[in-house]
Amino acid sequence: MNYAHDSSPIPSSKKPQQQSDERTIGIYSVQCAECFKWRLIPTEEEFEEIRSTLTEKPFYCNWKQNTSCDDPADIEYDASRTWVIDKPDIPKTPKGFKRKLVLRRDYSKMDAYFVTPTGKRVKGPAEIAAYLESNPDIKDVSVSDFHFATPKIMKDTIPEHVIRENLAKKMKSSI
């Protein structure tokens, strides 16, 4: 598994006057198969393209223009952000849809859902099927084109305060 996301909380860009504590993917990066340095990937679309064929076509630094294994890493794997590792070979999200991953408040796991071309959030195959059935103008897309696999949260990058809060909750519930 050669890639990760920064899932640090980022403010919502739709309503600047209101801050959102929704923890979504903020940075996309891929690890070089040769030197193991992390390279930033500028867009979700490019990341999905790389991820969709990673086993068959591993990522190398020279895929990025003017970059080689001799260059310093674009980003270091450390606890300055929460890292999650996605599974390789997940197909790209169907055109017009957007895959959203949200980290739960307790950092226990991520939830996956899709945003449709009309802006509706759908979670799970049953909701996708209902949406596609009620929107027959969407052609060449089926439920099997959607993948709800979620990335693995790298426990060594979970913030200390979250670990303490989770431990306190467990201790309180066991009393």
Side-chain angles (χ1 to χ4, degrees):
M1 315 234 182
N2 303 21
Y3 38 98
H5 308 290
D6 170 12
S7 60
S8 302
I10 55 174
S12 171
S13 58
K14 288 187 179 178
K15 297 180 182 177
Q17 69 275 17
Q18 293 179 340
Q19 292 266 332
S20 169
D21 67 349
E22 186 172 82
R23 291 167 178 81
T24 59
I25 305 304
I27 297 173
Y28 295 92
S29 59
V30 181
Q31 193 175 40
C32 175
E34 184 177 331
C35 69
F36 304 106
K37 292 177 183 170
W38 290 97
R39 299 293 175 202
L40 294 175
I41 305 303
T43 67
E44 180 179 4
E45 291 75 21
E46 286 180 64
F47 176 80
E48 284 192 356
E49 181 68 36
I50 293 166
R51 183 195 60 208
S52 70
T53 61
L54 194 63
T55 301
E56 173 187 320
K57 230 169 92 177
F59 176 84
Y60 294 99
C61 289
N62 62 5
W63 282 22
K64 284 187 71 173
Q65 191 172 13
N66 301 319
T67 306
S68 76
C69 289
D70 295 330
D71 296 322
D74 293 346
I75 188 170
E76 296 293 335
Y77 178 90
D78 60 24
S80 65
R81 59 186 40 83
T82 301
W83 287 71
V84 297
I85 305 290
D86 217 342
K87 294 180 171 119
D89 306 326
I90 295 174
K92 294 186 296 186
T93 301
K95 189 174 174 106
F97 291 82
K98 188 128 177 107
R99 180 179 184 233
K100 298 291 280 181
L101 298 165
V102 178
L103 185 62
R104 290 186 180 182
R105 288 184 193 266
D106 65 359
Y107 287 64
S108 61
K109 70 178 277 192
M110 296 195 86
D111 295 311
Y113 63 88
F114 289 87
V115 178
T116 69
T118 60
K120 180 179 178 174
R121 273 184 167 190
V122 290
K123 186 173 183 176
E127 287 185 28
I128 294 279
Y131 178 82
L132 293 174
E133 189 174 310
S134 66
N135 290 276
D137 53 313
I138 297 176
K139 308 267 188 245
D140 302 321
V141 177
S142 72
V143 174
S144 64
D145 295 328
F146 296 86
H147 298 273
F148 290 89
T150 57
K152 176 184 177 186
I153 299 163
M154 303 310 292
K155 297 200 182 301
D156 60 332
T157 66
I158 295 174
E160 284 294 323
H161 76 276
V162 173
I163 294 169
R164 284 191 304 273
E165 288 169 9
N166 289 345
L167 183 60
K169 286 178 187 175
K170 282 183 183 177
M171 290 176 67
K172 189 176 181 179
S173 68
S174 66
I175 298 176

